């Protein structure tokens, strides 16, 4: 174990995470974490050095065996974060390096910070590698499908601890106070967490990467103060400023209402990254110049959700035109299509916003959403309907809007069972898959060689239907006629 401690620190030095002058300091911090009373004084690093994360695993196993920590998921994750914090520079050092790199190029700054966040295991690269990905065709273009397997399974004890947890510091997983926080039941370990302070509209926000990223360089930008999601004109200005500061990233905001919003509405935040999503390639069905701001080109997209894309060299004009859509949509009701702006005091209309650069121009996608429920659709009228919930029941947030399905981990096993069932093997499938599985079983010429492709294509069709369910103006004559009428005031 002494050799592993020595090698871990040496690997940190070689990886330029630990300054050579800090090696004794880092060694002693590790010894303290492991509660070792003795340590060899004549050790030299092994040649070659093992992978950093493999060394970390051995340190954690030692701590479990020596009963330094309990053998629980939470205790292991907390120690992992503390061990990786030993080789992670202080927040002030990380911020200084980011903005120095930024002077050379914005991409240099994010590349270095992204590399650090992977090397210190804040981004859980080994867990993310477990996710399954495939692409399927649809009438709207190619769709991305992901089965999310990255988050470790919690034990019964972990769940009970989280349910019985007390305390409100930090208030949520996105609060700035998570930087360096050991963790508690219900709040993940963040000792090795680092946040870049980034100015937006005169206020400091936090910029970090997602620990369980769904796509390349999946980042999160959040308010320093714990403030609930509130999508307004200011949101548009913030997103456009962010893609000015980081022009190689897209930035988007979930809608601020339940059902059509993301999974975390209690803290205002945006998501972004360096990834090309299917919606960016959607066909354009109509183009016009914005009535009040002729510098803005507007496009209506052929996409299952209802999207207006705005493009201009002027940020100010995009803010104005985007705000006009939001104001009009907030008051829009069409009972024939089931769209109600309000029921009593309850607001239903909202928007999902996505900003990006297109050469020197700025683009803003405004996606119209509605979260009304009914007796027929208690989970949401514009939400995945019961016939597709065996594949996707969760909220349709920003990432799904863009054409990437984030499907639950249960599907890894369940889809394999469906494949065996379709091939005539003696297996049971989940009851909620049975009708679908029987439909697939009736298809001709299914073999061991093509059954996976057949099922993946069918999952893609289900996701296509999920997105169509979430669309307010359907791709029907009535839906598109109403969409055209909604945009009339902007022409």
């Amino acid at each position: 174990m002494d050799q592993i401690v020595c090698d871990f620190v040496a690997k940190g030095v070689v990886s330029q995470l630990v300054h050579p002058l800090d090696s004794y300091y880092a060694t002693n911090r590790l010894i303290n974490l492991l509660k070792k009373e003795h340590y060899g004084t004549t050790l030299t690093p092994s040649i070659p050095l093992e992978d950093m994360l493999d060394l970390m695993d051995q340190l954690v196993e030692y701590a479990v065996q020596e009963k330094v920590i309990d053998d629980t998921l939470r205790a292991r994750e907390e120690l992992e974060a503390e061990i990786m914090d030993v080789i992670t520079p202080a927040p002030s050092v990380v911020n200084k390096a980011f903005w120095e790199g930024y002077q050379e190029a914005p991409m240099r700054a994010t590349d270095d910070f992204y590399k650090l966040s992977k090397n210190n295991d804040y981004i859980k690269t080994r867990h993310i590698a477990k996710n399954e990905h495939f692409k399927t065709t649809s009438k709207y273009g190619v769709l991305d499908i992901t089965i999310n397997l990255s988050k470790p399974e919690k034990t019964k004890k972990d769940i009970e601890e989280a349910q019985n947890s007390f305390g409100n510091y930090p208030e949520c997983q996105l609060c700035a106070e998570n930087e360096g926080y050991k963790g508690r039941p219900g709040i993940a370990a963040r000792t090795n967490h680092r946040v870049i302070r980034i100015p937006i509209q005169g206020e400091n926000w936090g910029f970090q990467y997602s620990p369980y990223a769904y796509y390349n360089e999946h980042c999160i930008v959040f308010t320093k103060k714990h403030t609930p999601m509130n999508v307004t004109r200011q949101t548009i200005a913030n997103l456009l400023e962010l893609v000015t500061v980081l022009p190689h990233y897209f930035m988007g905001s979930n809608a601020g209402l339940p059902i059509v919003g993301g999974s975390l509405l209690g803290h205002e935040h945006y998501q972004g990254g360096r990834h090309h999503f299917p919606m960016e390639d959607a066909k354009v069905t109509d183009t016009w110049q914005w009535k009040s701001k002729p510098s803005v080109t507007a496009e209506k997209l052929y996409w299952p959700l209802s999207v207006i894309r705005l493009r201009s060299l002027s940020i100010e004009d995009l803010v104005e035109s985007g705000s006009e859509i939001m104001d009009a949509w907030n008051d829009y009701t069409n009972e024939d299509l089931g769209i109600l702006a309000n029921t009593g005091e309850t607001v239903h209309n909202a928007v999902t916003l996505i900003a990006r650069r297109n050469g020197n121009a700025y683009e803003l996608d405004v996606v119209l959403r509605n979260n009304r429920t009914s007796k027929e659709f208690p989970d949401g009228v514009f939400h995945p309907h019961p016939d597709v919930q065996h594949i996707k029941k969760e909220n349709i947030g920003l990432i799904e809007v863009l054409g990437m399905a984030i499907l639950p981990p249960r599907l890894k096993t369940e889809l394999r069972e469906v494949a065996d069932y379709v091939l005539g093997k003696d297996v049971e499938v989940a009851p909620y898959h049975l009708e679908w599985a029987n439909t697939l079983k009736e298809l001709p010429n299914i073999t061991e060689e093509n059954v996976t492709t057949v099922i993946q294509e069918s999952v893609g069709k289900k996701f296509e239907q999920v997105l169509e369910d979430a669309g307010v103006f359907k791709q029907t004559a009535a839906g598109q006629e109403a969409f055209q009428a909604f945009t009339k005031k902007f022409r």
Side-chain angles (χ1 to χ4, degrees), residues 4 13 19 22 52 57 82 84 97 136 152 195 249 271 286 307 320 346 360 381 394 422 463:
I4 293 169
V13 172
H19 193 283
D22 294 330
M52 181 82 76
D57 289 341
E82 288 182 293
M84 299 311 288
T136 63
V195 175
Y249 277 9
Q271 295 181 76
D286 191 15
V307 187
E320 289 293 332
T346 304
N360 292 327
V381 175
E394 299 79 12
V422 168
F463 180 56

Side-chain angles (χ1 to χ4, degrees), residues 134-136 142-146 275-278 403-406 463:
F134 55 91
K135 293 179 181 293
T136 63
V142 174
L143 298 176
D144 291 335
I145 312 294
T146 300
H275 187 81
H276 190 88
F277 286 93
M404 175 180 281
I406 309 298
F463 180 56

Side-chain angles (χ1 to χ4, degrees), residues 177-190:
E177 292 87 350
N178 280 282
E179 190 175 41
Y181 185 64
K182 181 178 179 179
R184 69 171 189 272
I187 296 288
R190 292 288 184 262

